[in-house]
């Protein structure tokens, strides 16, 4: 409980916006969670599987959690549940002539720098566009998150 409330909440603070994209940074953050799993399970043997410990604790890897947080924030923007409008972050509707699964598809913005390439819209739109209509058309954020979990299983 202390890890989730103190450490993980700090690691995930503003995660949809600052989500690291370099493998080095992702690994550093994941190491923190893996050390916490060893500490909580009180198992420091080299032969012990930290992945198994994470499963026993019911923890998802932090990269997956950040992806889900990004999608939840994107859902809030698209549905108008936050003060940021879709136009404010450069979202343009995709061409409707595509074989779309839902009506809220967006065009992937052209990016000239890594800063833009790994910013929320460019990084999230490809995943968002591949979601099922049932997931995207959820009425509330909690329902969206539940359907998202089922979608990625």
């Amino acid at each position: 409980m202390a890890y989730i409330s103190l450490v993980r909440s700090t690691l995930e603070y503003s995660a949809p916006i600052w989500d690291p994209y370099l493998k080095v940074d992702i690994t550093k953050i994941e190491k923190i969670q893996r050390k916490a799993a060893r500490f909580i399970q009180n198992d420091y043997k080299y032969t012990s599987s930290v992945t198994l410990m994470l499963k026993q604790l019911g923890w998802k890897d932090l990269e997956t959690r950040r992806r889900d947080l990004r999608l939840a924030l994107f859902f809030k923007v698209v549905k108008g549940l936050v003060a940021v409008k879709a136009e404010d972050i450069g979202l343009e509707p995709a061409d409707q002539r595509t074989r779309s699964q839902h009506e809220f598809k967006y065009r992937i913005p052209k990016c000239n720098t890594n800063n833009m390439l790994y910013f929320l819209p460019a990084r999230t739109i490809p995943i968002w566009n591949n979601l099922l209509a049932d997931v995207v058309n959820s009425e509330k954020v909690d329902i969206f998150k539940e359907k998202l979990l089922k979608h990625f299983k």
Side-chain angles (χ1 to χ4, degrees), residues 51-64:
T51 306
L52 183 62
M53 289 181 209
L54 292 172
K55 281 185 183 179
Q56 289 171 346
L57 292 167
W59 294 355
K60 289 191 286 184
D61 64 322
L62 295 174
E63 188 172 10
T64 302

Side-chain angles (χ1 to χ4, degrees), residues 104-132:
F104 294 107
K105 281 195 164 192
Y106 291 96
R107 185 181 324 238
I108 300 169
K110 291 186 168 95
C111 305
N112 297 330
T113 63
N114 278 349
N115 290 341
M116 291 306 294
L117 183 63
Y118 295 104
F119 183 53
L120 177 73
R123 195 166 183 189
T124 309
I125 289 173
I127 302 167
W128 174 265
N129 286 346
N130 287 322
L131 292 176
L132 299 173

